[in-house]
C-alpha cells in the first residue's frame, strides 16, 4: 500500500526544506546513514532493560548495537558511562533529576527568559511541579556572572545546580562553575551537585572547540540532534561510578519502557561521524558562519548579542520596531526559517518576544559559506526593513540555496 495522502505531505516538506534557509538553532540535517539507521530492522525489536540484562529474548544484536553506541559516546565525550536510551532531551533531564535528587529538592537554574529550557523549571513543565526551582540571572551585559552565581548558591543552598542553556550565545566556563560549587560545598550543610544540559552545544564540545562539561559536572544530559547532527533523541553521561546504577534505573524502568533501538543505532552512527576529523571542520564552519551573519547584521546597525557558539540573538524590536513573532513570520514568507525568542531584559510577553534566535548548524551542513552567511544577513535586513518585495527576496534566497546540497542527498 502507498499512503499517497501522507506521501504528498512528505514531498511538500522535502520541497520546503530543500528550497529554504534553515536558521533555527536547534535544527540540523542528519546524514543519509543516520536516516537509514532510523528506519532499520532494529525498529522491530522490543528490548526492555539493558544489554545482557533484557526482559525479552532475541536481543543479541540490539545488545551489540547499544553497546557500540555507548562505547562511541564515551570515547567522543571522554566519559566513563553513557546511557543512550532516553527518547529525548526532556526525558534525559527527567531521568537525570530522579537519579540525583528527590521530589521537593531545590534546583538552581538560569532565569528562563534569559535562555533556560522548559525542563529547567518552567511553570508549564513537570520540573517545577516536582522540584523547587530558584534562579540566577545573567549580568547586565547578557553574560553569565560567576560572582552572582556564587552569591546565589550561598543564599539558596540548592541540592542541584544546573547549567547549559537553549539560547545562550557565549562560551560557558564549566571549570569555574565546578570551583564555585566546590567552594560552596566546603561550608554548606547539604552538598550541591552539578548538572549540565549540553543539548545545544554538544557538537561544539564533541569537536573539542569548547570546554567539556563531563570533566567537571556530576551528571550531563544532551540531545543527539542539534549541533551533534544525529537522530532526535537524548543521552545521559557521567564519570561518577556511584551514579551509574541510579541513572540506569531512572531511565528504565522509572522514566520509560522499551528503548528505541533503531534510534540508538542511529546514535551510534552519529557518534562515529562526530569522531571523524571532518566533523571538527564542519563545526568550525558553523562557528564562522554564525559569527559572520551576526557581524554583518551589526554592521548594518542591528542590535544583537554577539556570539561565541552556533547561535546569536537578534533584537528585532530595537532593530526594526517589530516583535519576534512578526519578524519570524516575515522571514518565513520568503523561505527563511527562524524562531522568535526572549532576549535578556525582554519587555514583551513570551508569545511575542523581542528577539529572534538564529543559528547556522543546519545551513552549514548543506554547504553554506561565510560569504553566503553575510549575504543571508543582508537579505534578512532588507526583508525586516521592508526594503525588498517578497518576490525579489524569494529569488535572492533561491540564488543562495541553489549551490547547496539537497537535504535528502546528505
Amino acid at each position: 500500500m502507498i499512503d499517497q495522502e501522507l506521501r504528498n505531505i512528505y514531498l511538500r516538506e522535502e520541497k520546503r526544506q530543500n528550497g529554504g534557509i534553515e536558521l533555527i538553532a536547534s535544527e540540523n540535517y542528519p546524514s543519509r546513514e543516520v536516516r537509514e539507521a532510523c528506519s532499520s530492522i532494529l525498529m522491530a525489536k522490543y528490548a526492555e532493560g539493558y544489554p545482557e540484562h533484557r526482559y525479552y529474548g532475541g536481543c543479541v544484536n540490539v545488545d551489540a548495537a547499544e553497546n557500540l553506541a555507548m562505547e562511541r559516546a564515551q570515547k567522543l565525550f571522554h566519559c566513563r558511562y553513557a546511557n543512550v536510551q532516553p527518547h529525548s532531551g526532556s526525558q534525559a533531564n527527567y531521568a537525570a533529576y530522579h537519579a540525583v535528587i528527590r521530589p521537593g529538592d531545590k534546583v538552581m537554574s538560569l532565569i528562563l527568559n534569559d535562555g533556560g529550557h522548559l525542563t529547567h523549571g518552567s511553570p508549564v513543565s513537570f520540573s517545577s511541579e516536582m522540584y523547587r526551582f530558584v534562579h540566577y540571572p545573567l549580568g547586565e551585559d547578557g553574560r553569565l556572572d560567576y560572582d552572582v552565581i556564587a552569591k546565589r548558591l550561598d543564599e539558596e543552598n540548592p541540592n542541584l545546580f544546573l547549567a547549559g542553556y537553549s539560547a545562550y550565545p557565549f562560551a560557558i566556563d564549566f571549570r569555574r562553575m565546578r570551583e564555585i560549587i566546590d567552594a560552596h560545598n566546603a561550608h554548606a550543610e547539604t552538598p550541591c551537585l552539578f548538572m549540565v544540559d549540553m543539548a545545544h552545544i554538544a557538537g561544539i564540545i564533541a569537536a573539542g572547540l569548547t570546554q567539556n562539561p563531563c570533566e567537571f559536572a556530576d551528571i550531563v544530559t544532551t540531545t543527539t540532534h542539534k549541533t551533534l547532527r544525529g537522530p532526535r533523541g537524548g543521552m545521559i553521561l557521567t564519570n561518577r561510578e556511584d551514579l551509574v546504577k541510579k541513572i540506569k534505573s531512572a531511565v528504565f524502568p522509572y522514566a520509560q519502557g522499551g528503548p528505541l533501538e533503531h534510534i540508538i543505532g542511529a546514535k551510534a552512527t552519529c557518534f562515529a561521524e562526530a569522531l571523524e576529523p571532518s566533523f571538527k571542520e564542519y563545526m568550525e564552519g558553523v562557528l564562522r558562519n554564525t559569527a559572520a551573519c551576526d557581524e554583518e547584521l551589526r554592521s548594518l546597525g542591528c542590535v544583537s548579542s554577539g556570539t561565541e557558539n552556533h547561535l546569536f540573538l537578534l533584537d528585532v524590536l530595537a532593530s526594526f520596531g517589530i516583535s519576534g513573532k512578526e519578524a519570524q513570520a516575515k522571514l518565513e514568507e520568503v523561505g527563511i526559517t527562524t524562531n522568535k525568542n526572549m532576549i535578556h531584559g525582554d519587555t514583551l510577553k513570551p508569545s511575542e518576544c523581542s528577539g529572534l534566535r538564529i543559528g547556522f548548524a543546519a545551513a552549514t551542513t548543506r554547504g553554506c559559506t561565510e560569504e553566503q552567511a553575510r549575504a543571508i544577513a543582508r537579505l534578512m535586513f532588507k526583508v525586516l526593513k521592508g526594503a525588498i518585495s517578497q518576490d525579489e527576496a524569494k529569488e535572492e534566497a533561491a540564488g543562495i540555496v541553489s549551490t547547496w546540497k539537497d537535504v535528502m542527498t546528505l
Side-chain angles (χ1 to χ4, degrees):
M1 172 188 170
I2 297 177
D3 188 340
Q4 193 59 51
E5 187 175 4
L6 194 57
R7 179 175 171 76
N8 289 339
I9 294 173
Y10 296 158
L11 292 173
R12 291 199 300 271
E13 178 60 10
E14 183 180 342
K15 180 179 180 181
R16 185 193 71 82
Q17 291 192 22
N18 281 334
I21 297 174
E22 181 56 72
L23 298 182
I24 293 177
S26 55
E27 295 197 9
N28 212 332
Y29 300 109
S31 68
R32 178 185 293 272
E33 290 75 18
V34 168
R35 298 198 309 271
E36 287 176 347
C38 288
S39 58
S40 71
I41 192 64
L42 300 186
M43 183 187 298
K45 189 70 192 86
Y46 226 132
E48 284 187 350
Y50 290 97
E52 292 80 52
H53 299 282
R54 305 288 191 182
Y55 284 67
Y56 294 85
C59 290
V60 60
N61 295 311
V62 294
D63 281 1
E66 189 166 332
N67 280 328
L68 187 60
M70 290 190 289
E71 290 165 8
R72 289 175 176 175
Q74 289 159 13
K75 183 178 180 180
L76 183 62
F77 292 106
H78 307 285
C79 63
R80 295 177 183 174
Y81 174 72
N83 191 305
V84 295
Q85 290 196 6
H87 300 335
S88 69
S90 293
Q91 289 284 94
N93 284 347
Y94 183 80
Y97 291 146
H98 182 73
V100 297
I101 57 176
R102 301 274 70 84
D105 279 353
K106 185 183 288 188
V107 182
M108 179 174 286
S109 67
L110 180 68
I111 291 175
L112 298 179
N113 288 355
D114 279 353
H117 186 258
L118 288 176
T119 57
H120 299 177
S122 168
V124 299
S125 164
F126 73 87
S127 53
S128 64
E129 185 172 292
M130 295 184 70
Y131 307 102
R132 293 182 296 138
F133 273 81
V134 293
H135 302 285
Y136 54 95
L138 293 178
E140 291 184 5
D141 60 356
R143 293 174 179 262
L144 291 166
D145 186 324
Y146 296 93
D147 292 334
V148 169
I149 287 173
K151 181 180 179 182
R152 291 290 291 153
L153 272 173
D154 287 342
E155 289 173 346
E156 293 290 349
N157 291 296
N159 303 94
L160 181 69
F161 177 85
L162 177 60
Y165 318 103
S166 291
Y168 185 69
F170 306 112
I172 305 168
D173 193 340
F174 297 115
R175 181 189 298 276
R176 187 170 178 187
M177 287 179 170
R178 176 80 267 175
E179 292 170 350
I180 289 169
I181 292 168
D182 286 346
H184 166 79
N185 285 344
H187 58 78
E189 291 185 12
T190 303
C192 177
L193 294 173
F194 183 16
M195 174 176 162
V196 172
D197 178 349
M198 67 173 186
H200 257 272
I201 58 172
I204 309 174
I205 293 163
L209 299 174
T210 195
Q211 282 186 18
N212 182 356
C214 294
E215 295 182 36
F216 309 107
D218 298 292
I219 191 167
V220 176
T221 62
T222 185
T223 54
T224 49
H225 44 291
K226 301 187 177 78
T227 53
L228 199 52
R229 206 163 57 174
R232 292 189 174 272
M235 182 165 61
I236 304 176
L237 309 170
T238 190
N239 276 310
R240 285 187 50 173
E241 297 290 344
D242 61 318
L243 292 182
V244 172
K245 186 175 181 180
K246 292 179 180 179
I247 293 169
K248 283 185 172 181
S249 61
V251 175
F252 173 83
Y254 180 77
Q256 59 189 46
L260 308 176
E261 290 295 341
H262 55 304
I263 302 300
I264 289 173
K267 291 175 184 178
T269 300
C270 151
F271 302 149
E273 292 175 351
L275 285 163
E276 292 293 321
S278 59
F279 186 81
K280 181 177 181 180
E281 294 172 8
Y282 155 70
M283 208 65 250
E284 288 172 337
V286 172
L287 302 185
R288 284 195 304 270
N289 290 341
T290 307
C293 184
D294 173 72
E295 289 168 3
E296 191 71 18
L297 283 165
R298 283 190 283 122
S299 75
L300 293 167
C302 295
V303 178
S304 74
S305 61
T307 180
E308 295 172 354
N309 58 23
H310 66 298
L311 65 85
F312 65 91
L313 298 171
L314 177 64
D315 187 339
V316 292
L317 185 62
S319 302
F320 304 101
I322 59 177
S323 70
K325 181 179 180 180
E326 187 177 352
Q328 176 184 309
K330 283 178 176 290
L331 291 171
E332 189 163 355
E333 286 172 353
V334 301
I336 302 174
T337 312
T338 61
N339 66 276
K340 63 182 184 294
N341 210 94
M342 301 289 284
I343 60 174
H344 180 57
D346 210 323
T347 57
L348 299 184
K349 57 186 180 182
S351 61
E352 296 289 332
C353 303
S354 296
L356 290 179
R357 185 182 65 168
I358 298 168
F360 271 81
T364 306
T365 292
R366 291 188 63 192
C368 181
T369 65
E370 189 173 343
E371 182 181 346
Q372 288 173 330
R374 293 184 181 277
I376 290 169
R378 293 191 293 270
L379 176 56
M380 291 173 63
F381 180 83
K382 287 184 286 188
V383 171
L384 296 178
K385 200 76 172 175
I388 190 173
S389 70
Q390 274 196 27
D391 287 343
E392 290 173 324
K394 288 178 180 178
E395 184 177 353
E396 195 169 321
I400 294 170
V401 171
S402 65
T403 65
W404 294 358
K405 301 172 186 175
D406 284 349
V407 296
M408 295 304 288
T409 59
L410 290 170

